[in-house]
Amino acid sequence: MSKKKLMIHDLYRMKRENQRITWLTAYDFPTAQFAEAAGLDMILVGDSLGMCVYGYSGTVPVTMEQCLVHCEAVRRGAPNTFVMGDMPFMSYQVSDEEAVVNAGRFLKAANVDAIKLEGGKRVVSRIRAIADAGIIVCGHIGLTPQSSGQLGGHKAQGRTLKSAQALIEDAMAVEEAGAHLLLLEAVPPEVSGFIRRKLSIPVYGIGAGPDVDGQLLIISDMIGQFQAFTPKFVKKYANVAEVVTTAIKKYIDEVHSGAFPQDEHCYHMLEGEAEKFKDYVERD
Ligand code: KIV
């Protein structure tokens, strides 16, 4: 039996019923298939694909075209999972109109269920415009990687009273603007819990502690694939880098030693054809 896809009203019901949702990023077809088969609630096709797939040092170079291609692959792999597209840097910063057009491209090209954009008070008109166009919007505040330069690096936010108050104001502004969901990144648990109780929309967290309506992790971090650095909030559930490197080393050894390929890996000639081929070779 195929999995039942969650809709936005299911996410609201789960918040009311205190049921935590599970959320991971995915960037490709096979990972999306694994996630759906495992019963994951939501997939974010994050602009973290810039680092995790393309090897950029950050998310700023990521383009709309790259995001759309990966969203399409993920949608094909997980037709029955709530999929969210992530608006890349400069796809929504310039104007409300451009933001609506680009948000719409995620739905038209990749049939995603929602889009996410970074920022609090400063993006309320974008949130309102996209939501008014009938698109489900997820806000993203706290550590916002696209503007990490302004934040002084990839630093946790809300760790002082002043910064926590600014986050709370941002969260309220995002809800007030019509966002349907909110993601908090790298925020102290007590601040996340306060925001979760203050808002009526579901509040999810990545590095925001346990007192939120659902957890997000980057797949490449949690399966031990991304090597450059591991944020404090990541728990590694597998070591894919080790598994893959060991497999590649073994393959290299076996090709060198002749242990691969074996007879079982060969295509043999069709019945009767081998004899004919032998005669042909001998006549040559
Ligand atoms: O791109 C992404 O994966 C994200 C998460 C870091 C929240 O935006």
Side-chain angles (χ1 to χ4, degrees):
M1 202 181 75
S2 69
K3 178 180 167 235
K4 183 181 170 292
K5 182 174 159 182
L6 294 179
M7 309 290 279
I8 189 73
H9 61 262
D10 294 309
L11 302 177
Y12 279 72
R13 174 183 48 76
M14 288 165 86
K15 178 181 173 90
R16 278 195 308 277
E17 293 173 357
N18 223 7
Q19 226 182 306
R20 305 287 195 261
I21 69 112
T22 55
W23 191 13
L24 287 170
T25 66
Y27 315 107
D28 57 42
F29 175 81
T31 311
Q33 281 189 313
F34 299 148
E36 180 154 307
L40 188 78
D41 292 322
M42 274 173 50
I43 294 177
L44 171 67
V45 186
D47 63 352
S48 49
L49 64 86
M51 286 120 92
C52 300
V53 177
Y54 290 96
Y56 303 151
S57 61
T59 56
V60 166
V62 174
T63 65
M64 271 300 293
E65 280 59 39
Q66 286 169 321
C67 289
L68 293 177
V69 165
H70 287 276
C71 281
E72 287 174 45
V74 165
R75 173 48 85 210
R76 283 193 288 272
N80 297 314
T81 302
F82 192 97
V83 172
M84 188 183 291
D86 200 10
M87 298 196 67
F89 185 59
M90 281 300 140
S91 67
Y92 60 95
Q93 279 83 353
V94 174
S95 67
D96 288 355
E97 288 71 21
E98 240 182 76
V100 173
V101 169
N102 283 323
R105 290 179 71 196
F106 278 94
L107 273 74
K108 287 173 92 75
N111 193 22
V112 301
D113 300 287
I115 60 88
K116 173 173 88 58
L117 77 174
E118 297 183 6
K121 281 183 193 164
R122 66 187 165 82
V123 296
V124 291
S125 77
R126 306 291 188 270
I127 292 174
R128 191 164 294 122
I130 297 170
D132 281 351
I135 297 170
I136 297 173
V137 183
C138 179
H140 175 177
I141 60 170
L143 197 180
T144 43
Q146 290 173 12
S147 48
S148 59
Q150 281 185 347
L151 300 176
H154 284 77
K155 289 189 177 145
Q157 302 295 304
R159 299 182 82 187
T160 62
L161 174 61
K162 194 167 163 228
S163 163
Q165 282 170 330
L167 267 183
I168 293 161
E169 283 171 18
D170 273 338
M172 290 167 64
V174 165
E175 178 174 67
E176 170 69 25
H180 304 83
L181 305 165
L182 177 65
L183 174 67
L184 303 175
E185 178 168 354
V187 170
E190 51 273 52
V191 180
S192 312
F194 183 83
I195 292 175
R196 173 187 177 228
R197 280 182 289 281
K198 193 126 188 99
L199 266 49
S200 51
I201 60 175
V203 175
Y204 303 135
I206 175 166
D211 197 2
V212 283
D213 298 310
Q215 293 292 333
L216 170 66
L217 280 179
I218 292 186
I219 187 87
S220 321
D221 289 335
M222 62 87 77
I223 64 170
Q225 190 180 41
F226 183 71
Q227 300 289 289
F229 61 90
T230 306
K232 175 184 166 66
F233 57 75
V234 171
K235 178 169 175 183
K236 281 196 183 178
Y237 287 83
N239 194 341
V240 161
E242 192 179 295
V243 170
V244 174
T245 310
T246 304
I248 294 172
K249 280 185 179 159
K250 191 159 183 211
Y251 168 73
I252 293 170
D253 287 347
E254 291 198 355
V255 170
H256 286 165
S257 71
F260 176 82
Q262 299 280 304
D263 192 55
E264 75 212 66
H265 306 116
C266 296
Y267 296 102
H268 292 291
M269 293 195 78
L270 299 177
E271 192 137 354
E273 297 298 312
E275 288 307 309
K276 288 190 223 161
F277 186 66
K278 202 167 151 222
D279 290 347
Y280 166 82
V281 169
E282 276 165 7
R283 276 200 309 273
D284 192 41

